[in-house]
Amino acid sequence: MKGRTALITGGLGVIGTAISREFINLGAKVIVVDRGSKEKAQAWQTQQKEEGYEIACIYADVTNYDNCCDMAKNIEKNFNPIDIIVNGAGTIQDVSFRKMTPEQWNHVLHTDLDSLFNVTRQFINGMIERGYGRIINISSVNGEKGQFGQTNYASAKSGMYGFTKSLALEVAKYGITVNSISPGYVESKMVMSIAEDIQKQIIAQIPVGRLAKPEEIAWAIAFLASERSAFITGSNLAINGGIHMY
Ligand code: CAA
């Protein structure tokens, strides 16, 4: 990955942080995209720097196409061209379907699925021109198997597979690979937000017997982002501790 530049959306979360660090360890430059407060991002950057990781951070709302256009212009002016995209921005609003509001449906679909279009569309032609690219979309085990209370999230995560395979077909001949990964339950803020009794039930169902560590997800993404993974495209990698096999 030496000399490559990676863009990671949702980069400030624990998984995004682990991916950023893994990529830097492998020689890439990393730009994370965040829509939160500048103070929070700066504090995060400072902490990473103190621990030896220099990570650029730019602000954009991945649910907003125009915002992503501005972000791409900013990157074009101030950074190297993007070689690797990790579409990692994601959110949940879990509630059973009979109670789900249009806002809960739209918010999750905009963040988890529309963002793939809004972000990837900005950089795909540059990748085609340069004849190289790695795109990794972070889906979920719940996009594969469905989950009570997640009709919105599972629809978005499952939609990612169609996006991944279709784009993979379109860009394969330009040296660009497009893959998805489907993590199971990870030691993350998202999973910690589930009620404790439900968390316990979930962990009891994981054959490995624990939640995934963010670094275990990051390692799989780095594998797909490597130059050496050029023949893997349109695929989905399950990383779920055995909770769902297919
Ligand atoms: N399967 C079957 N029935 C279930 C159920 C399940 N998994 N969970 C709840 N129920 C039942 C309850 O027992 C209850 O039954 P009764 O009405 O007979 O008492 C009923 O469904 C509750 O229904 P509600 O309409 O009241 O449910 P709710 O709208 O309050 O939502 C919930 C409940 C918030 C969805 C809760 O079930 C929950 O948090 N589930 C876990 C969801 C989950 O796994 N989210 C993953 C988040 S992390 C993530 O997504 C990362 C990733 O990629 C893996």
Side-chain angles (χ1 to χ4, degrees):
M1 253 188 245
K2 230 183 169 73
R4 301 288 183 193
T5 301
L7 184 75
I8 302 173
T9 72
L12 263 57
V14 289
I15 299 177
T17 304
I19 303 165
S20 301
R21 287 173 168 235
E22 185 69 64
F23 280 14
I24 289 170
N25 288 341
L26 293 167
K29 287 197 173 3
V30 172
I31 307 168
V32 300
V33 182
D34 184 59
R35 69 170 165 186
S37 78
K38 279 199 176 173
E39 289 73 32
K40 188 180 139 213
Q42 275 162 2
W44 177 85
Q45 261 181 316
T46 306
Q47 192 199 335
Q48 301 309 313
K49 201 172 173 180
E50 278 168 11
E51 293 171 25
Y53 294 93
E54 189 92 46
I55 306 172
C57 188
I58 54 173
Y59 304 91
D61 179 355
V62 295
T63 67
N64 183 306
Y65 183 76
D66 292 338
N67 230 258
C68 290
C69 292
D70 293 343
M71 168 186 78
K73 282 183 200 141
N74 177 358
I75 290 175
E76 200 178 339
K77 238 202 277 171
N78 298 302
F79 298 92
N80 290 335
I82 300 298
D83 304 300
I84 302 163
I85 300 173
V86 179
N87 283 308
T91 191
I92 52 171
Q93 295 212 345
D94 294 354
V95 61
S96 56
F97 183 67
R98 64 199 175 99
K99 294 186 204 163
M100 190 175 285
T101 62
E103 289 74 23
Q104 287 170 324
W105 173 267
N106 288 329
H107 179 67
V108 172
L109 268 289
H110 289 331
T111 308
D112 297 5
L113 187 59
D114 293 352
S115 59
L116 266 64
F117 174 80
N118 295 338
V119 174
T120 313
R121 181 66 183 80
Q122 311 301 330
F123 303 102
I124 197 73
N125 285 324
M127 286 181 173
I128 289 172
E129 278 161 28
R130 291 187 302 279
Y132 185 84
R134 296 281 180 270
I135 299 167
I136 298 108
N137 302 315
I138 305 186
S139 181
S140 162
V141 65
N142 292 345
E144 296 174 301
K145 68 171 189 54
Q147 173 61 40
F148 190 100
Q150 289 198 311
T151 49
N152 48 6
Y153 184 78
S155 300
K157 294 297 183 181
S158 168
M160 282 187 181
Y161 303 134
F163 175 89
T164 299
K165 291 175 195 173
S166 303
L167 186 59
L169 285 172
E170 291 187 20
V171 298
K173 66 179 175 192
Y174 303 109
I176 303 168
T177 66
V178 190
N179 293 289
S180 61
I181 63 154
S182 295
Y185 289 81
V186 183
E187 284 174 8
S188 64
K189 227 172 160 183
M190 197 183 264
V191 170
M192 296 311 155
S193 73
I194 306 172
E196 213 177 310
D197 54 326
I198 295 179
Q199 258 186 57
K200 281 192 184 141
Q201 287 169 25
I202 290 170
I203 295 172
Q205 289 167 30
I206 304 173
V208 169
R210 61 169 174 84
L211 299 173
K213 300 197 178 310
E215 293 74 20
E216 292 171 319
I217 308 303
W219 168 241
I221 294 175
F223 164 70
L224 291 171
S226 163
E227 288 171 20
R228 297 171 72 187
S229 297
F231 211 62
I232 305 173
T233 197
S235 76
N236 175 56
L237 184 55
I239 317 165
N240 62 36
I243 200 171
H244 180 65
M245 301 182 191
Y246 57 93

